[in-house]
């Protein structure tokens, strides 16, 4: 690493963000029926009239690229072109949306009723919507919302309809097709359904990619999908999936459109509808199958208060600007456009870097509520085994300290400064009363509460220590999902704090080496852009120097007298993850061959045993997400070797590299 310190970053606090407006305020004071039946005249791409759904399908089936693949498949399978074309038409029929305004109006009316019951407010940055409207008129648009709830795609369409913007066509998983009536209604509100995995099905891939590209190129509607591919059960951003992003960038790279606008959207929930469901999934309870009956059973949530939602439409990102000086588009002139080709390494690198940039834009515009900070404090107190809980005034003081620190780090924090901190804290605790208990002025997590679905191994009758532990884990993991919303704010300073703690000296190069190792190890756990280690180190140094925690010169990193509290907090941020990775290592050391299917149940059993004997301090290491990320990191670092077995993948443990061993793994 270069020895010079770079602190020229623009102060994160100087970043201007748009103001919010509560879109539910008008809904509470006017007729929902009149709203649903309003005149709907959205701005369209270059003023074009969208083609009919039937015409769109014909354009896909008659495209040169699909025709080329049909010819290939017919030769490979010994089928006639007409037979393969029939298969392609069937795939398209299963996949395609059938957007109908009447269904959209029904959803608008229904969702108005539901949202007004569930949420205190839905706050939107209207300046972002104005930018989006302009982008839709000028270029094909791709909407990229964060994905933390089933509610996300319904909410997006509801907002766009309310503000008279073009409704998106939305990539949805085939799971929703199993919901009778509701699945078809989703299709008629703009959803198109895709399989979770295509395998080597060239025909399916060709139909899917052509369908998306033709909708995009012709300006039929904005295309919407989730970069992470699936909902995050932990509220941490997931490693982006590149397939769909590759597809939507393709028309620009091949010169078929002048530009494409990518719009990151950040959706922040004060209280998530699925908090306990996600926690149980992380403990091994199978996800309930999407069904219409399940939807009706979930009506009981209408009696709950879920606080507010903030939706921030980010700056449209130009693909042309992203590709400038990064991609040589002349390479696409060498092969006819209709012939499918694998993306080059240059293109894959470009798409990957763009995906990370977009996910980080989502993270930076997430609105953090006071409960997120309270969750940090309460989880750290729980890990310290403070059995009597925390005094309410002490909890408030620590939350205010953390509020100020997070603001200095550039967090997008929604903390009402005109209200006394004690009232802000009390209001947050009241909203999340299912997770906390307040008794005699002291606050602690409600670990004695048991309810809802069974956890793994739960039986009727007397509760066992294992069952009690798993019930506690539901509360811990639910609380951790809120804390995780702010990890992107603290992760780089936390990596530096842990590097200072583990480095053998205060030499800057030594600390950088430790930082680099930790960052590499946790690259499956957090969104850390590939190849940006030096930039992340410099950003962490800048923030810790700016807040008076460190003094850094050319050779050394020194802790200031006032910096110990901040470093202690930042180090504790990573402690549960470090302990999780360590216990996975310990578990694998004791195994003699293990199949992929056996890994999660076996490591969970191992962790439960060690938690019950007091050898582990963090219950959240029971999270299957953390365990999978730890395994992926160990395989990537060469610590675990993945050997292909006859039926499934077997894992065999290798000797630790010296670098990993030196850092206590």
């Amino acid at each position: 690493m270069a020895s010079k310190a770079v602190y020229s970053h623009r102060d994160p606090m100087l970043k201007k963000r748009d103001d919010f407006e509560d879109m539910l305020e008008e809904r509470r004071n006017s007729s929902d029926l009149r709203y649903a039946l309003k005149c709907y005249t959205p701005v369209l791409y270059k003023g074009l009239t969208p083609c009919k759904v039937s015409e769109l399908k014909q354009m896909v089936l008659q495209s040169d690229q699909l025709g080329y693949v049909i010819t290939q498949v017919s030769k490979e399978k010994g089928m006639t072109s007409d037979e393969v074309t029939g298969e392609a038409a069937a795939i398209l029929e299963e996949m395609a949306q059938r957007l109908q305004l009447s269904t959209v109006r029904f959803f608008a009316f229904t969702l108005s009723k539901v949202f007004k019951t569930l949420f205190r407010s839905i706050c939107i940055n209207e300046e972002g919507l104005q930018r989006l409207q302009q982008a839709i008129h000028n270029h094909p648009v791709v909407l990229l919302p964060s994905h933390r709830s089933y509610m996300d795609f319904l909410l997006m369409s509801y907002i766009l309809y309310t503000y008279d913007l073009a409704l998106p066509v939305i990539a949805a998983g085939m799971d929703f097709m199993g919901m009778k009536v509701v699945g078809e209604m989703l299709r008629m509100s703009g959803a198109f359904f895709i399989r979770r995995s295509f395998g080597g099905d060239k025909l399916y891939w060709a139909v899917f990619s052509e369908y998306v590209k033709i909708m995009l190129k012709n300006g039929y509607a904005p295309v919407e999908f989730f970069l992470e591919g699936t909902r995050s059960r932990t509220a941490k951003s997931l490693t982006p999936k590149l397939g769909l992003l590759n597809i939507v960038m393709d028309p620009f790279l091949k010169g078929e459109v002048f530009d494409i606008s990518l719009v990151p959207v950040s959706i922040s929930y004060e209280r998530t509808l699925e908090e306990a469901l996600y926690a149980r999934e992380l403990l091994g309870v199978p996800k309930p199958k999407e069904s219409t009956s399940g939807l009706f059973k979930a009506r009981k949530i209408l009696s709950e208060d879920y606080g507010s939602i903030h939706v921030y439409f980010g700056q449209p990102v130009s693909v042309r600007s992203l590709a400038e000086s990064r991609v040589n588009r002349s390479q696409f002139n060498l092969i006819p456009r209709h012939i499918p080709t694998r993306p080059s390494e240059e293109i894959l690198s470009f798409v990957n870097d763009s995906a990370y940039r977009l996910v980080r834009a989502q993270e930076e515009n997430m609105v953090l509520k006071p409960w997120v900070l309270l969750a940090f404090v309460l989880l750290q107190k729980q890990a310290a085994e403070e059995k009597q809980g925390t005094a309410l005034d002490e909890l408030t003081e620590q939350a205010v300290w953390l509020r100020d620190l997070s603001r200095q780090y550039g967090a997008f924090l929604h903390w009402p400064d005109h209200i006394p901190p004690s009232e802000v804290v009390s209001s947050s605790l009241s909203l999340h009363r299912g997770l906390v208990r307040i008794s005699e002025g002291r606050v602690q997590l409600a670990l004695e509460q048991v309810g809802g679905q069974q956890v793994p191994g739960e039986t009727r009758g007397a509760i066992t220590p294992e069952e009690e532990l798993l019930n506690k884990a539901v509360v811990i993991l639910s609380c951790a999902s809120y804390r995780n919303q702010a990890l992107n704010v603290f992760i780089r300073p936390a990596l530096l704090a842990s590097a200072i703690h583990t480095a053998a000296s205060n030499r800057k190069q030594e600390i950088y080496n430790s930082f680099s190792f930790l960052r590499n190890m946790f690259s499956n756990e957090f969104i850390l852009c590939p190849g940006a280690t030096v930039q992340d180190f410099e950003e962490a140094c800048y923030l810790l120097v700016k807040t008076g925690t460190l003094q850094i010169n050319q050779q050394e990193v020194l802790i200031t007298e006032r910096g110990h509290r901040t470093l202690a907090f930042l180090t504790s941020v990573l402690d549960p993850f470090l302990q999780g990775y360590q216990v996975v290592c310990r578990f694998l050391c004791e195994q003699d061959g293990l199949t992929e299917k056996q890994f999660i149940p076996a490591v969970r059993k191992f962790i439960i045993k060690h938690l019950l004997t007091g050898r582990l301090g963090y219950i959240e290491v029971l999270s299957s997400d953390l365990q999978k990320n730890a395994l992926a990191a160990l395989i990537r670092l060469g610590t675990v070797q993945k050997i292909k077995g006859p039926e499934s993948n077997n894992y065999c443990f290798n000797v630790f590299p010296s670098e990993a061993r030196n850092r206590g793994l």
Side-chain angles (χ1 to χ4, degrees), residues 120-319:
R120 299 175 187 175
S121 61
I122 298 178
C123 301
I124 316 295
N125 66 321
E126 293 188 344
E127 290 178 51
L129 288 172
Q130 292 167 10
R131 293 191 294 264
L132 174 60
Q133 184 179 51
Q134 189 63 43
I136 289 172
H137 182 261
N138 293 335
H139 304 292
V141 164
V142 179
L143 292 165
L144 301 168
S146 56
H147 199 16
R148 304 291 181 271
S149 172
Y150 277 121
M151 195 70 72
D152 294 330
F153 67 91
L154 293 172
L155 183 62
M156 285 288 293
S157 294
Y158 179 75
I159 293 168
L160 296 182
Y161 177 78
T162 301
Y163 286 91
D164 218 28
L165 291 168
L167 289 169
V169 288
I170 308 155
M174 292 293 290
D175 308 347
F176 293 100
M177 287 268 298
M179 300 176 70
K180 295 177 182 177
V181 181
V182 174
E184 282 307 305
M185 289 185 68
L186 291 174
R187 190 192 294 276
M188 290 187 286
S189 63
F192 64 95
F193 298 100
I194 56 176
R195 299 172 190 169
R196 292 290 181 190
S197 174
F198 304 166
D201 193 333
K202 287 195 293 189
L203 184 63
Y204 191 93
W205 178 260
V207 172
F208 167 59
S209 60
E210 276 302 284
Y211 180 64
V212 172
K213 284 188 280 190
I214 284 175
M215 283 194 293
L216 196 66
K217 287 187 295 185
N218 288 276
Y220 178 85
V223 173
E224 178 185 320
F225 64 92
F226 301 109
L227 257 179
E228 298 162 287
T230 187
R231 283 170 299 138
S232 171
R233 271 71 173 170
T234 62
K236 290 194 288 92
S237 294
L238 306 178
T239 302
K241 302 291 191 294
L242 305 182
L244 254 169
L245 189 60
N246 227 320
I247 288 172
V248 298
M249 285 183 163
D250 193 66
F252 166 76
L253 295 174
K254 290 183 177 177
E256 296 170 322
V257 295
F258 179 78
D259 200 0
I260 294 169
S261 292
L262 307 174
V263 182
V265 184
S266 307
I267 306 176
S268 311
Y269 295 90
E270 189 168 13
R271 184 180 167 207
T272 311
L273 275 71
E274 304 95 334
E275 64 179 26
L277 175 67
Y278 288 166
R280 294 179 187 280
E281 284 183 40
L282 292 171
L283 293 170
V285 176
K287 183 185 79 166
K289 187 178 180 182
E290 286 83 0
S291 66
T292 305
S293 61
L295 182 65
F296 284 111
K297 288 176 184 176
R299 285 179 300 172
K300 64 181 181 181
I301 68 171
L302 293 175
S303 62
E304 296 280 337
D305 178 3
Y306 288 89
S308 62
I309 303 175
H310 283 74
V311 183
Y312 193 95
F313 288 81
Q315 289 281 352
V317 177
S318 160
V319 175

